[in-house]
PDB file of all heavy atoms in Angstrom:
ATOM      1  N   VAL A  81     109.404 120.369 115.472  1.00  0.00           N
ATOM      2  CA  VAL A  81     107.971 120.378 115.754  1.00  0.00           C
ATOM      3  C   VAL A  81     107.278 121.431 114.923  1.00  0.00           C
ATOM      4  O   VAL A  81     107.893 122.401 114.503  1.00  0.00           O
ATOM      5  CB  VAL A  81     107.669 120.635 117.251  1.00  0.00           C
ATOM      6  CG1 VAL A  81     108.232 119.521 118.110  1.00  0.00           C
ATOM      7  CG2 VAL A  81     108.218 121.982 117.699  1.00  0.00           C
ATOM      8  N   ARG A 124      99.770 116.429 118.288  1.00  0.00           N
ATOM      9  CA  ARG A 124      99.309 117.126 119.484  1.00  0.00           C
ATOM     10  C   ARG A 124      98.131 117.977 119.093  1.00  0.00           C
ATOM     11  O   ARG A 124      98.126 118.589 118.032  1.00  0.00           O
ATOM     12  CB  ARG A 124     100.412 117.986 120.096  1.00  0.00           C
ATOM     13  CG  ARG A 124     100.962 119.115 119.222  1.00  0.00           C
ATOM     14  CD  ARG A 124     101.991 118.695 118.187  1.00  0.00           C
ATOM     15  NE  ARG A 124     103.217 118.173 118.775  1.00  0.00           N
ATOM     16  CZ  ARG A 124     104.203 118.950 119.237  1.00  0.00           C
ATOM     17  NH1 ARG A 124     104.126 120.252 119.126  1.00  0.00           N
ATOM     18  NH2 ARG A 124     105.280 118.411 119.760  1.00  0.00           N
ATOM     19  N   ARG A 158      98.698 132.416 124.815  1.00  0.00           N
ATOM     20  CA  ARG A 158     100.143 132.543 124.683  1.00  0.00           C
ATOM     21  C   ARG A 158     100.427 133.589 123.602  1.00  0.00           C
ATOM     22  O   ARG A 158      99.563 133.898 122.785  1.00  0.00           O
ATOM     23  CB  ARG A 158     100.718 131.185 124.249  1.00  0.00           C
ATOM     24  CG  ARG A 158     102.238 131.154 124.150  1.00  0.00           C
ATOM     25  CD  ARG A 158     102.697 129.771 123.745  1.00  0.00           C
ATOM     26  NE  ARG A 158     104.145 129.664 123.770  1.00  0.00           N
ATOM     27  CZ  ARG A 158     104.793 128.509 123.818  1.00  0.00           C
ATOM     28  NH1 ARG A 158     104.141 127.366 123.828  1.00  0.00           N
ATOM     29  NH2 ARG A 158     106.113 128.480 123.833  1.00  0.00           N
ATOM     30  N   LYS A 162     104.672 132.697 118.926  1.00  0.00           N
ATOM     31  CA  LYS A 162     104.921 131.251 118.904  1.00  0.00           C
ATOM     32  C   LYS A 162     104.261 130.629 117.679  1.00  0.00           C
ATOM     33  O   LYS A 162     103.104 130.884 117.378  1.00  0.00           O
ATOM     34  CB  LYS A 162     104.372 130.610 120.193  1.00  0.00           C
ATOM     35  CG  LYS A 162     104.662 129.134 120.315  1.00  0.00           C
ATOM     36  CD  LYS A 162     106.143 128.837 120.429  1.00  0.00           C
ATOM     37  CE  LYS A 162     106.426 127.349 120.313  1.00  0.00           C
ATOM     38  NZ  LYS A 162     107.861 127.045 120.488  1.00  0.00           N
ATOM     39  N   TYR A 164     103.019 127.814 117.181  1.00  0.00           N
ATOM     40  CA  TYR A 164     101.775 127.055 117.434  1.00  0.00           C
ATOM     41  C   TYR A 164     100.535 127.904 117.179  1.00  0.00           C
ATOM     42  O   TYR A 164      99.550 127.433 116.610  1.00  0.00           O
ATOM     43  CB  TYR A 164     101.717 126.555 118.883  1.00  0.00           C
ATOM     44  CG  TYR A 164     102.857 125.685 119.345  1.00  0.00           C
ATOM     45  CD1 TYR A 164     103.179 125.603 120.696  1.00  0.00           C
ATOM     46  CD2 TYR A 164     103.606 124.909 118.456  1.00  0.00           C
ATOM     47  CE1 TYR A 164     104.202 124.793 121.159  1.00  0.00           C
ATOM     48  CE2 TYR A 164     104.640 124.106 118.909  1.00  0.00           C
ATOM     49  CZ  TYR A 164     104.934 124.052 120.257  1.00  0.00           C
ATOM     50  OH  TYR A 164     105.951 123.256 120.718  1.00  0.00           O
ATOM     51  N   ASP A 200     102.919 127.771 127.075  1.00  0.00           N
ATOM     52  CA  ASP A 200     101.625 127.109 127.275  1.00  0.00           C
ATOM     53  C   ASP A 200     101.394 126.732 128.741  1.00  0.00           C
ATOM     54  O   ASP A 200     100.273 126.820 129.242  1.00  0.00           O
ATOM     55  CB  ASP A 200     101.554 125.827 126.421  1.00  0.00           C
ATOM     56  CG  ASP A 200     101.181 126.112 124.969  1.00  0.00           C
ATOM     57  OD1 ASP A 200     101.300 127.274 124.527  1.00  0.00           O
ATOM     58  OD2 ASP A 200     100.773 125.161 124.266  1.00  0.00           O
ATOM     59  N   ASN A 218      98.621 123.324 123.848  1.00  0.00           N
ATOM     60  CA  ASN A 218      98.858 121.973 123.334  1.00  0.00           C
ATOM     61  C   ASN A 218      98.611 120.944 124.435  1.00  0.00           C
ATOM     62  O   ASN A 218      98.921 121.191 125.605  1.00  0.00           O
ATOM     63  CB  ASN A 218     100.297 121.835 122.820  1.00  0.00           C
ATOM     64  CG  ASN A 218     100.517 122.540 121.497  1.00  0.00           C
ATOM     65  OD1 ASN A 218      99.586 123.087 120.910  1.00  0.00           O
ATOM     66  ND2 ASN A 218     101.751 122.524 121.026  1.00  0.00           N
ATOM     67  N   TYR A 220     100.068 118.089 125.283  1.00  0.00           N
ATOM     68  CA  TYR A 220     101.131 117.459 126.073  1.00  0.00           C
ATOM     69  C   TYR A 220     101.586 118.337 127.234  1.00  0.00           C
ATOM     70  O   TYR A 220     102.079 117.833 128.236  1.00  0.00           O
ATOM     71  CB  TYR A 220     102.327 117.048 125.195  1.00  0.00           C
ATOM     72  CG  TYR A 220     102.936 118.171 124.407  1.00  0.00           C
ATOM     73  CD1 TYR A 220     103.985 118.923 124.902  1.00  0.00           C
ATOM     74  CD2 TYR A 220     102.436 118.486 123.155  1.00  0.00           C
ATOM     75  CE1 TYR A 220     104.520 119.975 124.173  1.00  0.00           C
ATOM     76  CE2 TYR A 220     102.957 119.534 122.415  1.00  0.00           C
ATOM     77  CZ  TYR A 220     103.998 120.277 122.932  1.00  0.00           C
ATOM     78  OH  TYR A 220     104.512 121.321 122.208  1.00  0.00           O
ATOM     79  N   TYR A 221     101.409 119.676 127.112  1.00  0.00           N
ATOM     80  CA  TYR A 221     101.746 120.544 128.244  1.00  0.00           C
ATOM     81  C   TYR A 221     100.801 120.268 129.405  1.00  0.00           C
ATOM     82  O   TYR A 221     101.202 120.269 130.570  1.00  0.00           O
ATOM     83  CB  TYR A 221     101.689 122.026 127.846  1.00  0.00           C
ATOM     84  CG  TYR A 221     102.795 122.421 126.899  1.00  0.00           C
ATOM     85  CD1 TYR A 221     102.530 122.770 125.586  1.00  0.00           C
ATOM     86  CD2 TYR A 221     104.118 122.425 127.338  1.00  0.00           C
ATOM     87  CE1 TYR A 221     103.549 123.127 124.720  1.00  0.00           C
ATOM     88  CE2 TYR A 221     105.145 122.779 126.477  1.00  0.00           C
ATOM     89  CZ  TYR A 221     104.852 123.131 125.167  1.00  0.00           C
ATOM     90  OH  TYR A 221     105.860 123.473 124.319  1.00  0.00           O
ATOM     91  N   ARG A 224     101.998 117.090 131.040  1.00  0.00           N
ATOM     92  CA  ARG A 224     103.159 117.307 131.910  1.00  0.00           C
ATOM     93  C   ARG A 224     102.749 117.924 133.243  1.00  0.00           C
ATOM     94  O   ARG A 224     103.165 117.480 134.307  1.00  0.00           O
ATOM     95  CB  ARG A 224     104.139 118.285 131.236  1.00  0.00           C
ATOM     96  CG  ARG A 224     105.100 117.611 130.307  1.00  0.00           C
ATOM     97  CD  ARG A 224     106.049 118.655 129.722  1.00  0.00           C
ATOM     98  NE  ARG A 224     106.348 118.309 128.348  1.00  0.00           N
ATOM     99  CZ  ARG A 224     106.991 119.091 127.501  1.00  0.00           C
ATOM    100  NH1 ARG A 224     107.430 120.274 127.889  1.00  0.00           N
ATOM    101  NH2 ARG A 224     107.230 118.699 126.269  1.00  0.00           N
ATOM    102  N   ASN A 285     106.312 111.912 125.209  1.00  0.00           N
ATOM    103  CA  ASN A 285     105.862 113.310 125.323  1.00  0.00           C
ATOM    104  C   ASN A 285     104.344 113.433 125.479  1.00  0.00           C
ATOM    105  O   ASN A 285     103.784 114.497 125.265  1.00  0.00           O
ATOM    106  CB  ASN A 285     106.323 114.113 124.096  1.00  0.00           C
ATOM    107  CG  ASN A 285     106.229 115.616 124.322  1.00  0.00           C
ATOM    108  OD1 ASN A 285     106.430 116.087 125.432  1.00  0.00           O
ATOM    109  ND2 ASN A 285     105.903 116.357 123.268  1.00  0.00           N
TER     110      ASN A 285
HETATM  111 FE1   FE B   1     105.953 122.527 122.594  1.00  0.00          FE
END
Side-chain angles (χ1 to χ4, degrees):
V81 297
R124 62 279 296 279
R158 183 179 186 161
K162 184 65 190 183
Y164 303 155
D200 279 18
N218 286 356
Y220 57 92
Y221 291 112
R224 274 182 216 171
N285 196 34

